[in-house]
Amino acid sequence: MKTARADGFFGMYRGAAVNLTLVTPEKAIKLAANDFFRQLLMEDGMQRNLKMEMLAGCGAGMCQVVVTCPMEMLKIQLQDAGRLAAHHQGPASVPSSRSYTTGPASTHKRPSAALIAWELLRTQGLAGLYRGLGATLLRDIPFSVIYFPLFANLNNLGIDELAGKASFAHSFTSGCVAGSVAAVAVTPLDVLKTRIQTLKKGLGEDTYSGITDCARKLWSREGPSAFLKGAGCRALVIAPLFGIAQGVYFIGIGERVLKLFE
């Protein structure tokens, strides 16, 4: 409500362009990598072997961070701009996200993904876009280790023997359930990643030298409940996201599209 009141309806969609641009290759890498590793580690990719399924998920989580880390970096800065404006302007003024810089001096430019990416590359090089890579790996690997085996086993429950696959509705539901469970389970790691990747800090906010330092400060100053901040929101977002992605993936829309170009 505060965001909508301060920045308008479209303030709720800040960072959407980054998501639209990069979430497609991210999900493509994640789903294709999991299938690749399943085929590599298991004879036909379909047999039930929990350890191999978890290992395949681990491989998928490692592959996806090539896209996920810079995507999260840019998205977090864009989504955080309004809150920072409120910090700097004070409670009496109406927040407006109109400045961004990765350095000490303000550029007074409207933040955009291109501007933020350029500033990071100019001041910190490619490493700037991959700030928080370790924390991203720490979140995405356990997520995939939990998600993919759980989804595979839930989806297997609805496979039609005649069709040889589950219905879209069952795959969608399996993706929703597996996604929400995995999202809540790794929320503490997502909190650490987000804190580390937030470049600009409000007045009195901590800076962190790494994952351990962030976890220690978060525990001592905000308590253990801070590690579960946003768990409900993550479940609400991740559940339909993976439900739709997994459902579409399993009904073979991609294969049908590719056939049009053959």
Side-chain angles (χ1 to χ4, degrees):
M1 289 175 65
K2 287 181 179 179
T3 301
R5 185 166 58 247
D7 295 320
F9 176 76
F10 290 105
M12 303 293 291
Y13 286 86
R14 189 177 291 117
V18 176
N19 266 353
L20 286 169
T21 304
L22 297 179
V23 80
T24 301
E26 183 214 21
K27 290 295 174 284
I29 292 170
K30 190 184 192 82
L31 295 173
N34 179 68
D35 273 4
F36 171 78
F37 286 117
R38 283 177 68 93
Q39 294 288 342
L40 188 67
L41 296 169
M42 295 180 278
E43 289 181 5
D44 59 359
M46 297 297 292
Q47 65 191 73
R48 308 285 283 275
N49 187 322
L50 183 59
K51 290 181 180 179
M52 292 298 103
E53 288 176 342
M54 293 174 70
L55 195 56
C58 176
M62 291 180 67
C63 291
Q64 76 170 78
V65 295
V66 174
V67 175
T68 305
C69 193
M71 179 182 76
E72 293 278 317
M73 270 294 297
L74 298 176
K75 184 186 71 173
I76 287 169
Q77 314 320 314
L78 290 169
Q79 291 179 338
D80 204 38
R83 183 186 65 85
L84 287 169
H87 267 284
H88 293 309
Q89 294 175 6
S93 60
V94 178
S96 176
S97 57
R98 291 291 182 271
S99 65
Y100 181 82
T101 180
T102 58
S106 175
T107 62
H108 297 290
K109 294 180 182 178
R110 183 182 181 87
S112 67
L115 172 64
I116 296 170
W118 168 248
E119 286 287 317
L120 286 169
L121 288 170
R122 184 179 63 83
T123 58
Q124 301 176 33
L126 190 61
L129 284 175
Y130 283 88
R131 177 188 174 96
L133 177 62
T136 306
L137 281 167
L138 195 63
R139 179 200 66 172
D140 287 349
I141 290 176
F143 179 93
S144 295
V145 167
I146 295 169
Y147 171 78
F148 282 111
L150 181 56
F151 169 79
N153 284 276
L154 289 173
N155 196 60
N156 281 337
L157 297 176
I159 290 181
D160 187 327
E161 292 184 3
L162 294 176
K165 59 183 179 181
S167 65
F168 173 83
H170 188 87
S171 291
F172 173 80
T173 304
S174 299
C176 287
V177 173
S180 58
V181 170
V184 172
V186 303
T187 292
L189 303 173
D190 184 65
V191 171
L192 295 177
K193 180 200 71 66
T194 302
R195 296 292 182 100
I196 290 169
Q197 287 186 321
T198 303
L199 294 175
K200 298 194 73 178
K201 305 293 183 180
L203 186 64
E205 292 183 339
D206 289 319
T207 56
Y208 310 107
S209 60
I211 298 171
T212 304
D213 180 56
C214 181
R216 180 177 56 79
K217 287 179 179 177
L218 197 61
W219 180 277
S220 62
R221 299 182 188 184
E222 299 183 43
S225 61
F227 288 91
L228 289 176
K229 283 184 176 179
C233 290
R234 274 181 56 76
L236 287 173
V237 170
I238 296 295
L241 190 153
F242 274 91
I244 293 168
Q246 202 77 73
V248 169
Y249 188 69
F250 264 73
I251 62 176
I253 288 180
E255 288 83 347
R256 295 175 192 176
V257 172
L258 287 174
K259 285 180 180 178
L260 298 176
F261 297 95
E262 290 180 356

